Amino acid sequence: MIIEMKNIRKHFDSLEVLKDISFGVDSGEVVSIIGPSGSGKSTLLRCATFLETIDGGEISYMGQKAAHTNASGHTVYVHHNELKKFRTYCGLVFQQFNLFPHYSVLKNLIDAPIHVQGRSRGEAEETAMDLLKKMGIADKANSYPYQLSGGQQQRVAIARALAMKPEILFFDEPTSALDPELTGEVLRVIRQLAEEKMTMVVVTHEMPFAKAVSNRVIFMDGGVIVEQGDPEDVFGNPKEERTKAFLRVFER
């Protein structure tokens, strides 16, 4: 199993955003997380990628514990030097691309592999150009983010995450900032990655895409997992009333 999260809890002041969430993702699996805004989906991804700290529970990557709750109820993370290793296991693609605006496309891709992972410039550039070719934007290597369409920027963001060679890629509503035509560009890239057995967790509002690409679908609401299972079952025959009500909105 690439990642396992057990009994995850997260508060922001008095608001409990994640309430006893447990799930895991196997190698090569594509898991889509659906649910209304404010249900905790993005927070779950930020906890999984160590951008937020959990208030309770356990996070493991590749069978090794990165964080756990000790006997006195406090959450303990591994030493920050070891946490760097855990961070290399995962990549996160954001809604708003989060590219460095003052870096060229190529520099956006090579900066972290060189300075964080210690790879040579030659190796980093070769990997970056291969990824840009794969994304269909090799001709944009020397462009800057402001010169690209939203779909192109998101493909750069995906390439940047892949340049770190993660074990698992998380997507936080990767098409929510794009118009329908550009959405299709990005979904085609994710679909291609799924065909190549890239392990992925995708928070999305694109229901047909989630149904077509996922091995498993998780429906979250109110900080809990309400229902999960095979896409055909969750979309075609949901068991929980809350899931049925949510999916009815997308059938109109």
Side-chain angles (χ1 to χ4, degrees):
M1 191 170 282
I2 302 289
I3 182 173
E4 188 170 16
M5 301 181 79
K6 294 181 183 174
N7 309 117
I8 300 298
R9 291 183 293 106
K10 177 65 182 176
H11 298 81
F12 291 110
D13 297 322
S14 61
L15 179 65
E16 190 175 20
V17 181
L18 299 177
K19 308 168 185 176
D20 199 27
I21 294 266
S22 296
F23 85 110
V25 183
D26 286 320
S27 179
E29 193 176 18
V30 179
V31 177
S32 287
I33 303 180
I34 62 173
S37 296
S39 57
K41 307 181 301 295
S42 294
T43 300
L44 182 62
L45 262 56
R46 290 178 68 83
C47 288
T49 53
F50 309 110
L51 293 176
E52 297 281 358
T53 55
I54 59 173
D55 295 317
E58 184 179 299
I59 303 174
S60 298
Y61 273 92
M62 319 295 285
Q64 300 173 292
K65 238 176 254 185
H68 71 281
T69 303
N70 64 18
S72 51
H74 295 105
T75 302
V76 180
Y77 280 79
V78 295
H79 188 273
H80 67 87
N81 283 339
E82 195 176 356
L83 197 59
K84 286 180 186 174
K85 176 189 74 175
F86 283 98
R87 286 194 169 109
T88 66
Y89 293 144
C90 55
L92 177 59
V93 178
F94 300 88
Q95 297 177 34
Q96 298 292 342
F97 327 134
N98 284 24
L99 300 175
F100 295 113
H102 55 296
Y103 285 1
S104 69
V105 165
L106 183 61
K107 187 165 170 58
N108 262 283
L109 265 66
I110 68 173
D111 200 60
I114 292 171
H115 294 110
V116 177
Q117 295 183 327
R119 284 195 247 155
S120 71
R121 176 171 289 272
E123 181 193 351
E125 287 187 354
E126 183 179 353
T127 299
M129 289 308 300
D130 286 346
L131 287 167
L132 291 175
K133 283 176 196 161
K134 184 175 185 173
M135 300 293 151
I137 47 175
D139 59 325
K140 303 296 184 184
N142 295 315
S143 299
Y144 286 82
Y146 77 90
Q147 297 172 308
L148 308 180
S149 70
Q152 289 169 334
Q153 288 187 62
Q154 193 59 294
R155 282 183 279 160
V156 173
I158 294 170
R160 181 177 64 177
L162 288 169
M164 298 292 282
K165 301 185 178 178
E167 298 290 338
I168 183 170
L169 206 49
F170 294 90
F171 292 86
D172 187 6
E173 298 188 23
T175 60
S176 66
L178 305 176
D179 65 35
E181 185 179 354
L182 300 180
T183 291
E185 290 178 15
V186 173
L187 294 182
R188 277 192 294 276
V189 169
I190 300 174
R191 191 184 294 264
Q192 181 186 350
L193 293 173
E195 289 169 359
E196 295 168 3
K197 300 299 181 189
M198 179 74 201
T199 310
M200 294 184 285
V201 176
V202 187
V203 169
T204 184
H205 288 299
E206 301 288 337
M207 299 302 144
F209 171 79
K211 184 176 180 181
V213 173
S214 311
N215 303 107
R216 183 158 42 103
V217 173
I218 292 173
F219 172 63
M220 280 182 68
D221 190 24
V224 300
I225 292 176
V226 176
E227 185 166 353
Q228 64 176 309
D230 182 274
E232 293 295 331
D233 293 333
V234 173
F235 288 110
N237 188 28
K239 296 179 178 61
E240 302 296 328
E241 280 304 318
R242 185 65 192 89
T243 317
K244 292 175 186 176
F246 174 78
L247 291 174
R248 271 197 294 272
V249 174
F250 290 91
E251 290 167 1
R252 289 174 191 162

